[in-house]
Amino acid sequence: MSPEGTPAASCKPLGSSQEHLSKPVSDGEVVRNEDESPLLQILENIDFFAQELVESSATTGSKTGTLAHKWSATKLQQDLLASTEGGKNVKERNEPEKEAETLPSPPCSPSAVPPREGNTVVVTPVSASVSCFYLPQGAPVPRSTAVGQVIARIEATFANFKEQRATIHDMGKVSKACGCPLYWKAALFHGAGGETTGFISASSLVDTWNKLSLSCFDESSKFVYLLAKRGAAYLEQEDFTLLLQDIVDSHPGLTFLKDAPEFHSRYITTAIQRIFYTVNRSWTGRITASELRRSNFLQTLSLLEGEDDINQITDYFSYEHFYVIYCKFWELDTDHNLSIDRRDLARYNYHDSERATMPSVLFRGTSAQREGRMSYAEFVWFLISEEDKRSPTSIEYWFRCMDLDGDGVLSMYELEHFYEEQHDRLEAMGFEPLPFHDLLCQMLDLVKPQQPGKITLRDLKRCGMAHVFFDTFFSLEKYLEHEQKDPFAIHKEVDRNGQELSDWDRFAAEEYDVLVAEDSESDQSGRGESSPAV
């Protein structure tokens, strides 16, 4: 045979005899080369598989089933040869029996063939064979010897403790014995009941770990299980208090706070609000394992173990960020009752406006909305959203502020309502403001809403210019800044790891430098609580 010949010539039609199916192709029937060997091996494997199908069908006496399996094997051979070598004469040489041609195309595997009862085909319901992909606790894994090894390490670790009991100060060693990051120690302590008794035993932790291993299969579900209230499948704000207090007490970057216990609760409140601001994308006040998986919180928590300077970890735990937020709040809270009203809030980049038309949604919480006051926790949300209007949470925050009727759409009336105050402020400062109609044309061109005259949250997230849009209606200083430069100009700053800084990170770094410079020029002893330790 010439090199241009097709190896399909060696493939004889499959007969009904079992002898033919099990017989290998002899070397005399075709000249093999190295390129053809893998193909012939595949064909021989197909023959062997078809042989088993024929034998299985023969035992049941099903002639139709035998022909169907023979047709399937032959068709598979034919398609394989045609796609690999061109298959010019394959169809002629491998024509299946006419009886098989009348059959519908059989399933690709014998297990997919519907079982028969007499002459009736029993169809299995589709729902019975559909796999379940909703795995809130992570993908199940077989219980392995790893669980036993962890339990052995737990028992060995507790053997070194007095009375084989561990306090929160001993949980670092216990956490490592469990194979968990260091700052899971408070979660493990809580999960084993230590918060109630002040200590845990090896048996209580082993029992907790056994239950954990049976129901939770990834880090996120395990973390929620350990830190949540009994029976809850989510974390609320107070559930993080023990974790944050342990970080304050034990992280080397916060040792100076031991001499300022009055700031512990303020730092913890700030960190908790930042966690929910970033992680709780559902705005429910409850963090689920699914939300943890989609966030970087657990990865950031693990980084605390290897970084002594907590300010290098800007997400959630930075003391410098807390210092900036708290000092900004303290400047507005003139009566120092840890809450600010609308007039106080109007002094933050609003030029002491007498008409603070900030909507009540800014005062998050039932009592705050009723009394018209904002707590420190709520101020954390406001400040981060004000200084970084690019993040998803910030866009949603300001959209809720502008959506006065709560219909999920910003109407032209709502835009005009918020522009009126900006218009009056510009006039008071000696600027000639744009008429609302002209400004509206600019905003619609900026956002390009899918529905004419209606701006949705999706439109704002999609356009990439939400920060310019919201600054136009809420921040006069930033609005004027945008008017003086190209809003589409790209300006990027990176941190020491080469990652782009967010608007919030940039603002916090600049404000911290200013506050430090001010503190160095003032008498710390005369400022009291107004300035936390730097």
Side-chain angles (χ1 to χ4, degrees), residues 6 8-9 11 86-94:
T6 172
C11 300
K88 296 181 180 180
N89 300 320
V90 171
K91 185 174 182 180
E92 297 177 0
R93 295 174 178 267
N94 296 312

Side-chain angles (χ1 to χ4, degrees), residues 207-223:
D207 182 60
T208 299
W209 194 262
N210 275 320
K211 294 177 181 178
L212 187 73
S213 303
L214 291 173
S215 58
C216 303
F217 309 106
D218 67 350
E219 280 195 342
S220 298
S221 59
K222 290 177 181 178
F223 187 81

